[in-house]
Amino acid sequence: GAAMLAWLWLWLCGCCGPARGLRIHEYLYFQVLSPGDIRYIFTATPAKDFGGVFNTRYDQIHLVPADPPEACGELNNGVFIQDQIALVERGGCSFLSKTRVIQEHGGRAVIIADNAYDNDSFYIEMVQDSSRRTADIPALFLLGRDGYMIRRSLEQHGLPWAVISIPVNVTSIPTYEMMQPPWTFW
């Protein structure tokens, strides 16, 4: 409720000194602008030891669900991922492999959602695989429930992508605008 938001606000702003860039405690935030029924701020965690960082803020960029969702090989909708951000599902190959597939298709970043659709609280640390390959684009991990709700909304509206802002600096947003998804557990 409101008290929890106020506490969170104090905790985010008060205890930690200046935030390092746009990361607070290694969380990174993005906001869905459309479709409107999922116009929330989502929380993701950057990959632990591979991938780039966001040195640009994208005010409006497409978040494109990969087809096939696991993005372990050639994509059917790769043309739509160029210069945009891909939403990918966990499973089938390593986090790094997925990131490289999206990078090869010209994606600016990849958001990898857990394949456990009921996962609404457990963030997995994405680490490098043993292949000694690298990836240059940012890779973020998203809770399975959040990824599922985004994909479901796009399917319901018959849309090929969402429009998002990323990263969002939550320290600049007044408490009452901390628009988190209603299915998020505190």
Side-chain angles (χ1 to χ4, degrees), residues 2-125:
M4 183 61 93
L5 272 177
W7 175 85
L8 178 76
W9 186 244
L10 281 169
W11 179 74
L12 283 175
C13 302
C15 74
C16 332
R20 300 192 313 281
L22 291 157
R23 286 189 186 182
I24 301 168
H25 297 296
E26 295 305 305
Y27 287 116
L28 194 141
Y29 303 90
F30 66 93
Q31 180 171 7
V32 172
L33 305 174
S34 91
D37 59 344
I38 49 163
R39 196 184 162 99
Y40 302 117
I41 292 172
F42 292 89
T43 303
T45 52
K48 189 96 182 128
D49 60 1
F50 69 88
V53 294
F54 281 97
N55 30 35
T56 311
R57 173 157 191 260
Y58 300 101
D59 285 321
Q60 287 196 7
I61 192 166
H62 294 164
L63 178 63
V64 185
D67 173 24
E70 291 183 345
C72 292
E74 197 51 44
L75 301 179
N76 300 319
N77 64 339
V79 62
F80 296 119
I81 283 165
Q82 177 144 8
D83 292 325
Q84 310 299 328
I85 295 177
L87 177 62
V88 167
E89 218 171 289
R90 180 182 177 200
C93 59
S94 71
F95 293 122
L96 180 59
S97 291
K98 296 170 189 295
T99 305
R100 287 176 57 91
V101 166
I102 299 307
Q103 181 174 315
E104 283 156 18
H105 283 83
R108 298 276 175 95
V110 59
I111 297 175
I112 302 172
D114 198 350
N115 49 6
Y117 297 159
D118 56 349
N119 178 8
D120 52 28
S121 56
F122 183 66
Y123 288 91
I124 287 163
E125 259 185 9

Side-chain angles (χ1 to χ4, degrees), residues 9 12-13 22 24 57 167-175 177-178:
W9 186 244
L12 283 175
C13 302
L22 291 157
I24 301 168
R57 173 157 191 260
V168 173
N169 187 351
V170 295
T171 57
S172 67
I173 298 173
T175 312
E177 281 182 36
M178 291 279 290

